[in-house]
Amino acid sequence: MGGEYPPLDRGQIESILKKLGFTKKRTESSHAQWEGHSKGQRRMVTVDEFGGRKRIKYSKDLTKKMIQQSGLSKKKFYSYRSEEHTSELQS
């Protein structure tokens, strides 16, 4: 996952989830549960909080799992790194 799909850190993942309409529901131990809807289904995304550190990059496999949990394709999920979808979500 490089180039078009570079590694993401916790801050980036959380920002994308917020843009997608997910909300942080609970934190247990070192993981947070983010709840939202995708394709008409309720989704839960588990985000490792790395002991409060936001800038450590997630592994390729962990990023893939979070994207799968969100219900989006990798391409669609990564497209929310930019601001282009902000107005789309608010309408």
Side-chain angles (χ1 to χ4, degrees):
M1 214 188 290
E4 189 177 357
Y5 303 113
L8 299 173
D9 62 36
R10 189 179 112 219
Q12 292 169 312
I13 293 283
E14 289 178 347
S15 176
I16 292 168
L17 291 173
K18 287 177 188 175
K19 288 177 186 176
L20 290 167
F22 282 74
T23 55
K24 190 175 186 178
K25 289 297 179 185
R26 66 179 180 269
T27 302
E28 292 182 18
S29 184
S30 62
H31 296 82
Q33 298 291 314
W34 287 74
E35 181 180 28
H37 289 84
S38 177
K39 299 178 185 174
Q41 292 188 332
R42 178 179 170 262
R43 300 284 185 164
M44 294 295 286
V45 178
T46 302
V47 178
D48 188 330
E49 296 208 323
F50 290 129
R53 297 173 292 185
K54 283 193 172 192
R55 298 295 166 219
I56 296 173
K57 301 291 184 186
Y58 289 108
S59 70
K60 175 173 71 173
D61 293 333
L62 194 51
T63 301
K64 181 179 177 182
K65 277 293 203 194
M66 289 185 280
I67 293 170
Q68 287 174 340
Q69 291 171 357
S70 77
L72 275 76
S73 68
K74 180 168 55 172
K75 182 177 182 177
K76 184 77 168 173
F77 190 87
Y78 269 84
S79 76
Y80 281 86
R81 287 186 309 153
S82 68
E83 295 298 319
E84 66 189 70
H85 293 288
T86 303
S87 60
E88 177 184 311
L89 290 169
Q90 293 171 348
S91 48

